[in-house]
Amino acid sequence: MLSPASLNICKILPICARTGNQAIRKYSVSKMSEPQWKIEKARLTKMNWADRRKDYKIKDYLTVDSVDPWCNYVVRNKGIEAKKHTLDDLTEFKKISMESGLNKDLGQKVSIFKGDITKLEVDAIVNAANSALKAGGGVDGAIHRAAGPLLQAECDTLGGCPTGDAKATCAYNLPARYVIHTVGPQDGSPTKLESCYEKCLALTKENNFRSIAFPCISTGIYGFPNRLAAHIALRTARKFLETNDHIERIIFCTFMPIDVDIYETLLQMYFPLHDWNYNDGNTLTE
Ligand code: ADP
């Protein structure tokens, strides 16, 4: 049986046009065949969450509501408050000036999620991609495997992505709606890593995404130091959330135990669940 795509082959139709007395027979291509990824993207874009769920390839997906916001996570996971920051953490933390009156509010807008980012039903998951946007290893490989081959087909139309930049595609077979591909630095540049987070967050605004999940960009194969990467991720997220209220949740997906420990420690600084913050001066432990 023919697929809808193969039925959609280009049809050459004659068109008559007149120039003075002369009738010129012209031919035009009325419709080129649409690539399969475009057809599927258009179909998925029109669907609501309930309809999309019927199509999911996995049963163990997680909705945003089932991931604890940071304020609940702290209560449920005893012992987190015993995790203390270091002097180096304080030095890094002093680079941000925070609006402490927003602390309680913002504590409901961020989460730690321990596990596989491909299970999350969010508006967008972030992929730590390479600049060619070709399926690779690590989180990139996991995302491409779970999304299916149409993800690569769409990526192939984007002309790659420079380091520090971000581009969005459909997420196809994933429970997420979109994948934002960002290319982290391989040279340890904090500015480029910060740019990755900023560009991804800017895309949420442009596309009105309300939820986004980040892996620990660049800290795997690209070798960026985990702790500094977490400072950059949290500082950028905090700054963005203070001035943008379209986002309901930013999920930090921690796949390695080291990152769970770092994020549990540093979220207490960047998202304190009280009106004070560590930069107020009265709570510094040096
Ligand atoms: P990079 O090339 O940017 O370093 P990697 O994919 O090697 O990207 O690693 C980035 C982070 O993603 C690492 O912390 C790695 O442990 C984590 N990671 C790997 N697989 C997954 C996954 N399925 N879900 C979430 N995070 C993952």
Side-chain angles (χ1 to χ4, degrees):
M1 212 170 82
L2 288 174
S3 69
S6 55
L7 285 171
N8 207 7
I9 45 172
C10 57
K11 299 168 195 144
I12 314 276
L13 292 179
I15 291 180
C16 289
R18 271 186 192 282
T19 315
N21 292 332
Q22 206 183 11
I24 302 168
R25 202 167 180 77
K26 283 190 178 171
Y27 291 87
S28 82
V29 176
S30 73
K31 198 159 190 185
M32 301 297 291
S33 64
E34 292 262 59
Q36 195 63 45
W37 68 263
K38 241 185 199 174
I39 296 165
E40 181 63 354
K41 184 173 181 170
R43 185 184 77 88
L44 290 168
T45 308
K46 285 188 213 119
M47 288 165 87
N48 59 30
W49 286 115
D51 288 337
R52 286 177 57 98
R53 281 180 190 143
K54 294 176 199 151
D55 273 10
Y56 287 170
K57 301 282 181 262
I58 54 165
K59 294 277 169 274
D60 56 342
Y61 65 91
L62 285 142
T63 62
V64 175
D65 289 344
S66 67
V67 180
D68 267 338
W70 169 237
C71 51
N72 295 359
Y73 182 98
V74 173
V75 176
R76 267 194 234 276
N77 294 273
K78 300 279 172 232
I80 286 180
E81 280 165 296
K83 295 190 179 189
K84 297 294 178 205
H85 56 263
T86 64
L87 274 179
D88 284 348
D89 288 332
L90 268 181
T91 308
E92 198 54 39
F93 179 68
K94 284 177 180 168
K95 294 180 181 169
I96 189 175
S97 152
M98 302 193 324
E99 186 62 62
S100 58
L102 296 173
N103 287 348
K104 280 187 187 152
D105 216 24
L106 299 189
Q108 298 174 31
K109 292 192 165 193
V110 290
S111 295
I112 294 178
F113 168 67
K114 303 179 210 171
D116 183 352
I117 202 165
T118 65
K119 307 282 186 200
L120 292 173
E121 187 193 70
V122 282
D123 283 333
I125 60 168
V126 173
N127 181 18
N130 52 57
S131 55
L133 298 184
K134 293 287 181 198
V139 70
D140 188 24
I143 289 174
H144 275 273
R145 278 191 299 279
L150 297 183
L151 179 61
Q152 186 62 66
E154 184 175 357
C155 283
D156 288 345
T157 66
L158 298 177
C161 181
T163 302
D165 207 347
K167 294 187 177 181
T169 65
C170 179
Y172 301 98
N173 293 341
L174 286 164
R177 289 172 57 225
Y178 293 88
V179 178
I180 298 178
H181 307 263
T182 189
V183 182
Q186 299 185 59
D187 60 359
S189 159
T191 343
K192 286 182 196 148
L193 186 60
E194 187 177 330
S195 169
C196 288
Y197 283 96
E198 283 172 351
K199 291 282 171 69
C200 291
L201 290 167
L203 281 175
T204 66
K205 193 168 187 177
E206 221 170 272
N207 296 287
N208 203 24
F209 297 158
R210 295 180 187 284
S211 52
I212 181 169
F214 285 100
C216 303
I217 303 163
S218 271
T219 63
I221 301 157
Y222 284 1
F224 201 100
N226 298 58
R227 209 167 181 99
L228 179 56
H231 275 284
I232 292 167
L234 294 173
R235 182 164 63 225
T236 315
R238 171 84 199 200
K239 281 200 268 183
F240 188 82
L241 286 173
E242 284 197 1
T243 49
N244 293 278
D245 60 9
H246 65 282
I247 288 270
E248 285 162 12
R249 196 77 68 84
I250 298 179
I251 299 176
F252 298 99
C253 187
T254 51
F255 199 62
M256 307 293 282
I258 171 87
D259 288 315
V260 177
D261 188 58
I262 291 172
Y263 274 81
E264 286 182 347
T265 309
L266 299 187
L267 266 152
Q268 296 182 64
M269 306 180 86
Y270 291 92
F271 293 91
L273 300 171
H274 316 276
D275 278 340
W276 49 264
N277 72 59
Y278 290 86
N279 257 346
D280 287 343
N282 57 346
T283 51
L284 300 186
T285 47
E286 300 194 54

